[in-house]
Amino acid sequence: MPHQLHTTTLQNVARGVLGTFMVFAGTGHLTFVRQEFQAQVPDFVPLDKDTVVLQSGVVEIALGLALLLLKGKNRRRMGIGLAAFYAAVFPGNVHQYTHHISAFGLDTDAKRLARLFFQPVLMGAALYSTGALQTLRRKK
């Protein structure tokens, strides 16, 4: 019988906060901060920036809901998938920094640079809160 992974109260709270944040951010993509999210779409992306923002908003809502609702192996897989999503959108944060684009209150290079260091924190939170980090460690 496969090892059942149980998450701690702290992991459950972190997952709830992260999932809620993702649903809120995704909703923002579709509505009230849609234009600001366009500032993060790198120029090398071969699609219309608004299209990218709308599509990524739908993905963020789906990821957030999955984070809140999935259990067991699927929850751990979701953690790995969410960490990969955060890695995939990281070039947008770099674009905002390197092109000195103000959005989301990030109106100085220092603030934009500090944000770059937050992305690995989100990746770690996704892996930790879902139990994926424990699973990855166990496989070594």
Side-chain angles (χ1 to χ4, degrees):
M1 181 170 194
H3 174 67
Q4 288 294 89
L5 179 75
H6 298 282
T7 52
T8 67
T9 300
L10 182 58
Q11 286 172 300
N12 295 338
V13 169
R15 194 174 56 257
V17 169
L18 197 55
T20 302
F21 166 78
M22 290 298 293
V23 171
F24 181 76
T27 302
H29 277 69
L30 305 178
T31 57
F32 60 96
V33 283
R34 187 166 155 184
Q35 229 174 357
E36 289 197 67
F37 275 112
Q38 291 175 22
Q40 292 185 292
V41 179
D43 296 331
F44 64 80
V45 174
L47 299 170
D48 174 68
K49 290 185 182 221
D50 193 47
T51 300
V52 172
V53 169
L54 292 172
Q55 289 175 345
S56 61
V58 170
V59 169
E60 284 192 17
I61 291 169
L63 288 170
L65 290 174
L67 194 62
L68 294 169
L69 301 174
L70 292 178
K71 305 217 181 297
K73 279 186 182 180
N74 291 327
R75 178 183 288 162
R76 294 188 293 273
R77 288 180 185 134
M78 180 67 246
I80 294 167
L82 183 57
F85 174 81
Y86 287 141
V89 300
F90 185 69
N93 297 341
V94 173
H95 172 78
Q96 186 178 0
Y97 172 69
T98 59
H99 289 76
H100 315 285
I101 300 169
S102 294
F104 305 108
L106 303 173
D107 53 5
T108 67
D109 283 343
K111 289 178 184 177
R112 290 184 283 267
L113 179 63
R115 181 174 189 213
L116 296 178
F117 292 96
F118 188 64
Q119 206 73 5
V121 172
L122 287 173
M123 293 168 72
L127 294 172
Y128 168 75
S129 69
T130 59
L133 190 59
Q134 291 168 276
T135 301
L136 293 171
R137 283 183 181 158
R138 195 176 312 119
K139 287 185 178 186
K140 284 186 175 183

